[in-house]
Amino acid sequence: MLGLALTRYVLRFPASMALEREEIVDWVGPTVQRYLTARTL
């Protein structure tokens, strides 16, 4: 999340700036969901 924010809002990389909100959610959402709901050992 911090890396995405850094490249999008601070460094303003064209590739991350071009992403729409829905694309970001589709791309990052499953990973965040897995971190929040994964079973731990």
Side-chain angles (χ1 to χ4, degrees):
M1 297 297 293
L2 287 174
L4 178 61
L6 177 70
T7 59
R8 186 170 172 91
Y9 298 110
V10 177
L11 301 175
R12 298 187 182 266
F13 285 174
S16 63
M17 294 290 294
L19 293 172
E20 296 291 330
R21 182 181 303 239
E22 293 80 18
E23 292 174 307
I24 294 172
V25 170
D26 290 343
W27 183 57
V28 177
T31 301
V32 173
Q33 186 69 36
R34 187 173 56 246
Y35 288 154
L36 295 174
T37 61
R39 300 177 84 192
T40 58
L41 298 177

